[in-house]
């Protein structure tokens, strides 16, 4: 029997994903046509037949959208899915430790822990086989992948024994190069992991005995798997790394959502070919991988793709060109408009002959180990050139040009903008 825990964070996180996270919790943002979380859940159910329960752990307030997603996912995948709300941000280790009784209920032999903001092929069955073949049965497994030397310092770095794949050393975001094997944010644990997290909790309590007790319990329970647990476990014969050759990326910024959408759309050829649009008589021209929701209304003279995702109720007029973009629920793209490297927000409108274009933030195509850089909104006091984001209910008038900008509602746009945040 297996379980899975997906760490979804909370509203204080995901600042690099704004303004999109203002309208919907980041884990529910649609990537390749379905909520980000659904890719995780689907991998758990389809790849692990003995998966019995999936738990979401975070500190979002339960709301109608989250509840609707949970109900829909349970009905689709025929598996119990529950949300466990933290009273505060407890970290990647503190959250699962706080809910350890719910996780071990029913006696699972092992459980997966997955960060919600990663995009992956999720080789969960391979990790399970790897755990049984390497080390002791109670060993823990980190999913790892290879990065280039410079970018590796932005991740948790793993030094392994090349013969046994035991983790000998672990450093989170080192200041100098340590290893090109990085942590992917997907773990396989046995219930024994709670002994090690508990030891960190007890140490935190002891360290705080001389401090003000008012908030001591919360501060002691805030535990990071990476810095507090993996660093201590490394070299003890308990922690192993399974290196995947499949695709993987973080989804920290809005630009990385478009890149993740490309990776998932490409995977659909084998996992969900029915989700990919095809060229048909009387339909729009499809170039490459494109997802179109059945409720979308698209003029047959439109040209879509590659890497385009069209949400529910979207209307696309004659002669529209869309490439490398995500068009969200209820948006309207009027005749002859052009959308490139952009995210068009819910219920937004782009006028006739308007152009909305951003700068892609893809990894270096000439480096097979390059990862996407999750840029901050600003660098050196200026807006970082990236994809263009239109927030909810934005209206772009006809013939306006928007380049590398973040556009929120409440502003009447009648001219072009470049490299700006428009409130």
């Amino acid at each position: 029997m297996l379980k899975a825990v997906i760490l979804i964070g909370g509203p204080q996180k995901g600042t690099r994903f704004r303004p999109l996270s203002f309208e919907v919790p980041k884990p529910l943002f649609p990537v390749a046509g379905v909520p980000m979380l659904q890719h995780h859940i689907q991998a758990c159910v389809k790849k692990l037949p003995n998966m019995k329960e999936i738990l979401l752990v975070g500190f979002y307030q339960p709301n109608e959208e989250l509840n609707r997603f949970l109900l829909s996912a349970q009905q689709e995948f025929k598996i119990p899915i529950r949300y466990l709300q933290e009273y505060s941000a407890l970290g990647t280790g503190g959250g699962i430790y706080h809910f350890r009784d719910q996780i071990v209920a029913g006696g699972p032999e092992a459980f997966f822990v997955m960060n919600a903001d990663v995009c992956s092929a999720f080789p969960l069955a391979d990790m399970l086989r790897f755990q049984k073949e390497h080390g002791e049965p109670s060993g823990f497994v980190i999913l790892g992948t290879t990065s280039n030397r410079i970018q590796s310092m932005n991740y948790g770095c793993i030094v392994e024994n090349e013969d046994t794949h035991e983790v000998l050393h672990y450093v989170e975001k080192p200041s100098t190069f340590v290893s090109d094997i990085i942590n992917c944010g997907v773990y396989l644990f046995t219930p024994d992991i709670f002994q090690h997290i508990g030891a960190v909790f007890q140490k935190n309590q002891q360290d705080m005995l001389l401090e003000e007790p008012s908030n001591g319990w919360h501060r002691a329970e805030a535990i990071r798997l990476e810095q507090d647990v993996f660093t201590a476990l490394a070299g003890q014969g308990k922690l192993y790394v399974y290196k995947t050759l499949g695709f993987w990326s973080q989804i920290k910024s809005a630009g990385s959502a478009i890149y993740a959408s490309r990776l998932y759309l490409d995977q659909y050829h084998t996992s969900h070919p029915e989700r990919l649009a095809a060229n048909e008589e009387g339909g729009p021209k499809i170039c490459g991988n494109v997802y179109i929701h059945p409720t979308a209304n698209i003029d047959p003279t439109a040209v879509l793709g590659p890497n385009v995702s069209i949400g529910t109720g979207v209307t696309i007029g004659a002669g529209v060109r869309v490439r490398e973009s995500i068009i969200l629920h209820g948006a309207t793209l009027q005749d002859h408009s052009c959308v490139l490297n952009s995210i068009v927000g819910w219920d937004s409108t782009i006028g006739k002959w308007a152009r909305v274009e951003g700068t892609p933030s893809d990894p270096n195509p000439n480096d097979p180990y390059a990862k996407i850089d999750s840029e901050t909104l600003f660098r050196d006091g200026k807006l970082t050139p990236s994809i263009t984001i239109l927030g909810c209910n934005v209206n772009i008038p006809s013939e306006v040009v928007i380049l590398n900008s973040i556009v929120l509602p409440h502003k009447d746009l009648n001219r072009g903008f470049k490299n700006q945040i428009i409130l």
Side-chain angles (χ1 to χ4, degrees):
M1 171 184 171
L2 298 171
K3 289 190 178 186
V5 180
I6 305 175
L7 306 177
I8 67 173
Q12 297 174 11
K13 303 291 184 180
T15 54
R16 283 177 284 182
F17 209 73
R18 294 175 182 171
L20 301 172
S21 55
F22 290 150
E23 304 299 330
V24 63
K26 178 183 170 182
L28 298 184
F29 182 82
V31 177
V34 300
M36 196 185 300
L37 271 178
Q38 188 164 323
H39 296 286
H40 298 63
I41 295 172
Q42 181 175 292
C44 291
V45 175
K46 296 292 180 67
K47 298 181 180 183
L48 300 168
N50 54 344
M51 178 66 62
K52 298 301 180 185
E53 184 180 37
I54 297 174
L55 303 173
L56 311 183
V57 174
F59 54 101
Y60 285 101
Q61 288 290 332
N63 56 45
E64 181 181 350
E65 193 158 17
L66 182 58
N67 292 335
R68 187 166 56 245
F69 170 77
L70 291 174
L71 179 61
S72 174
Q74 288 186 92
Q75 292 173 343
E76 179 177 354
F77 296 106
K78 306 296 190 294
I79 188 173
I81 304 174
R82 291 192 291 146
Y83 175 50
L84 305 177
Q85 184 190 2
E86 301 170 329
Y87 61 87
S88 182
L90 298 178
T92 50
I96 63 173
Y97 187 69
H98 184 74
F99 293 110
R100 59 194 180 279
D101 290 342
Q102 288 92 327
I103 294 172
V104 300
E109 60 188 73
F111 62 96
F112 286 90
V113 173
M114 314 161 75
N115 288 336
D117 59 356
V118 298
C119 157
S120 173
F122 296 115
L124 307 182
D126 294 333
M127 292 177 68
L128 203 57
R129 284 192 294 269
F130 175 88
Q131 183 196 44
K132 295 176 181 177
E133 295 170 358
H134 293 77
E136 56 184 271
S138 60
F140 315 125
V141 180
I142 300 176
L143 181 66
T145 191
T146 303
S147 176
N148 63 37
R149 290 176 64 94
I150 295 176
Q151 289 183 313
S152 67
M153 292 184 287
N154 297 322
Y155 300 89
C157 292
I158 300 166
V159 178
E160 68 162 349
N161 180 316
E162 294 184 359
D163 296 324
T164 65
H165 304 290
E166 179 194 348
V167 176
L168 302 177
H169 188 51
Y170 185 93
V171 185
E172 185 69 19
K173 296 182 180 178
S175 57
T176 58
F177 175 76
V178 172
S179 169
D180 60 3
I181 304 172
I182 61 171
N183 178 1
C184 291
V186 179
Y187 316 118
L188 175 57
F189 296 140
T190 66
D192 290 346
I193 191 66
F194 293 121
Q195 298 177 14
H196 301 281
I197 302 177
V200 175
F201 174 64
Q202 292 174 2
K203 180 180 181 301
N204 288 349
Q205 283 186 310
Q206 293 171 358
D207 291 345
M208 297 177 64
L209 286 177
L210 300 179
E211 299 183 20
E212 291 294 330
S214 59
N215 200 27
W217 179 264
H218 160 58
R219 291 179 58 191
E221 206 177 16
I223 299 168
R224 303 162 298 181
L225 276 175
E226 299 80 6
Q227 294 96 321
D228 299 328
V229 180
F230 293 163
T231 301
L233 281 175
Q236 294 188 15
K238 290 275 189 182
L239 191 60
Y240 295 82
V241 57
Y242 173 76
K243 290 182 291 185
T244 179
L245 298 177
F247 69 87
W248 178 87
S249 180
Q250 286 186 325
I251 311 179
K252 295 292 186 183
S253 63
S256 60
I258 291 182
Y259 178 64
S261 184
R262 182 193 306 164
L263 296 176
Y264 278 135
L265 286 171
D266 191 56
Q267 186 192 38
Y268 283 172
H269 284 284
T270 54
S271 65
H272 287 283
E274 74 281 358
R275 290 183 183 172
L276 293 174
N279 284 297
E280 299 177 355
E281 186 174 353
K285 182 177 180 181
I286 304 299
C287 305
N289 297 329
V290 174
Y291 168 85
I292 302 175
H293 194 273
T295 60
N297 182 15
I298 301 176
D299 190 277
T301 61
V303 180
L304 310 177
N307 185 21
V308 167
S309 177
I310 307 294
T312 57
V314 168
T315 300
I316 295 181
V320 170
R321 180 69 173 103
V322 184
R323 187 182 73 211
E324 298 285 342
S325 297
I326 296 174
I327 314 300
L328 296 172
H329 169 88
T332 298
L333 279 56
Q334 295 181 359
D335 296 353
H336 308 293
S337 58
C338 181
V339 178
L340 311 174
N341 303 302
S342 300
I343 295 178
V344 177
W346 300 266
D347 300 312
S348 292
T349 299
I350 298 178
K352 295 180 179 180
W353 296 102
R355 183 182 184 91
V356 176
E357 182 175 357
T359 298
S361 52
D362 298 347
N364 181 356
N366 299 316
D367 182 351
Y369 301 119
K371 308 302 177 190
I372 195 166
D373 288 320
S374 296
E375 292 276 9
T376 56
L377 287 179
F378 294 93
R379 183 174 58 205
D380 299 328
K382 299 179 181 179
L383 181 66
T384 305
S386 183
I387 68 164
T388 290
I389 304 170
L390 306 186
C392 179
N393 289 302
V394 168
N395 183 20
I396 304 297
S398 298
E399 302 183 19
V400 167
V401 177
I402 305 293
L403 301 176
N404 299 323
S405 298
I406 297 174
V407 185
L408 304 183
H410 319 310
K411 185 74 174 181
D412 182 20
L413 302 177
N414 54 16
R415 60 185 177 88
F417 289 90
K418 182 176 180 181
N419 296 342
Q420 295 191 42
I421 293 183
I422 308 162
L423 302 178

